[in-house]
Amino acid sequence: MPLTPAITDWPAQPLRDRVVIVTGGAQGVGRGIAQAVLGAGGSVMIADLDADAGRACLKEWALPERAAFQRADVASERSVQALVKATLKRFGRIDGLVNNAGIASAHGTPLAEMTLAEWQRRLSSLHGAFLCSKHALPALRAQAGGSIINIASTRAWQSEPDSEAYAAAKGGLVAFTHALAISSGPDVRVNSISPGWITTDAWQAPARRRTPKLSRRDHAQHAVGRVGQPEDIGALAVFLLSDLSGFITGQDHVVDGGMTRTMIYAE
């Protein structure tokens, strides 16, 4: 190796020829990630329970050679197996997996009133990450530099009342991430992203799209001066899925515009 490393050109499309599964990829943060993968030159299989939203994505993207949809329930092992099989049949390989699907709302029933069934349902994102990772790992290992991203939340680190199940699911994803990173390395890297306040009103199925109603105070709570957008998460996902992050694994990455670093006193 020379004493002074040579200048290397950065890839313009870091995910060219890569195939990525994005669960919950038809709306919200998942759609932001799926679009970012396409923009970075990759191909994407979006998996979602909402078939109408999935078909709308394909119609709007108009990239039939690089975008596909599979209706899938990540809480069902049979459905996850079918998703992996369909991806391999359609694209021939899997290079990345983004475990994003799960219940979006952090607010739930007070713990004393919560049933075991609701508790288990609210942990669906953790169960889904387990099932999708389990069944995608053989295909990921077959590609040098496979990558898994688990979408956690800043709620893994801070909470509001009546959010125990959601916090447990997201905190579990962070722990699952570093454990799986050790088990699956060096063939597959595993990281998590913990989004903060991300407005997804404009990233829903066409019939449900709305212009976000955000106040000046909403934006001012963030050190960067604005509420987050799904493309903010997508940009980091592209980096973590690509070779540019080849020395990063087992880490949680907080993307919140500095909100959790802001000291707030009650007025």
Side-chain angles (χ1 to χ4, degrees):
M1 180 177 178
L3 293 178
T4 303
I7 294 175
T8 303
D9 291 334
W10 287 47
Q13 292 189 309
L15 297 183
R16 181 181 293 277
D17 299 325
R18 304 287 178 92
V19 176
V20 180
I21 296 174
V22 181
T23 68
Q27 302 182 89
V29 167
R31 177 167 178 156
I33 294 171
Q35 287 190 191
V37 169
L38 292 171
S43 297
V44 66
M45 171 66 84
I46 54 174
D48 206 290
L49 277 171
D50 192 328
D52 289 338
R55 286 190 287 266
C57 285
L58 299 186
K59 182 178 180 180
E60 292 179 17
W61 293 337
L63 291 169
E65 72 285 358
R66 292 199 289 123
F69 171 74
Q70 171 85 3
R71 188 179 186 279
D73 178 0
V74 298
S76 163
E77 187 157 18
R78 181 174 296 179
S79 184
V80 168
Q81 288 174 304
L83 168 63
V84 171
K85 183 177 180 180
T87 305
L88 290 172
K89 181 178 180 180
R90 173 67 177 79
F91 294 110
R93 58 189 288 164
I94 300 173
D95 300 273
L97 167 66
V98 181
N99 290 312
N100 169 72
I103 295 174
S105 174
H107 300 286
T109 306
L111 195 66
E113 303 169 18
M114 184 178 290
T115 64
L116 178 59
E118 182 180 352
W119 173 268
Q120 291 174 329
R121 183 175 66 86
R122 286 188 161 271
L123 264 65
S124 60
S125 60
L126 182 57
H127 302 327
F130 153 66
L131 288 173
C132 290
S133 299
K134 171 185 175 181
H135 291 289
L137 265 172
L140 288 166
R141 288 186 186 279
Q143 306 301 328
S147 176
I148 295 174
I149 300 174
N150 298 313
I151 303 301
S153 169
T154 52
R155 300 304 182 101
W157 310 106
Q158 56 180 165
S159 296
E160 292 179 296
D162 303 327
S163 62
E164 289 85 359
Y166 187 86
K170 296 304 185 179
L173 281 170
V174 172
F176 177 69
T177 293
H178 61 70
L180 185 59
I182 302 307
S183 300
S184 63
D187 301 319
V188 178
R189 296 180 298 106
V190 187
N191 290 283
S192 60
I193 299 176
S194 286
W197 186 347
I198 307 295
T199 181
T200 60
D201 303 67
W203 293 75
Q204 304 302 317
R208 293 191 291 274
R209 285 179 192 164
R210 301 288 185 273
T211 299
K213 295 182 179 180
L214 298 168
S215 69
R216 183 177 298 177
R217 185 174 183 179
D218 292 335
H219 292 296
Q221 294 181 61
H222 299 76
V224 298
R226 65 174 178 85
V227 173
Q229 299 286 336
E231 56 259 46
D232 294 316
I233 309 304
L236 179 57
V238 166
F239 172 70
L240 292 174
L241 289 165
S242 76
D243 293 338
L244 294 171
S245 60
F247 198 56
I248 301 173
T249 194
Q251 305 301 313
D252 181 57
H253 304 265
V254 174
V255 184
D256 70 346
M259 194 175 187
T260 56
R261 291 301 190 190
T262 304
M263 187 175 291
I264 300 174
Y265 294 95
E267 295 180 356

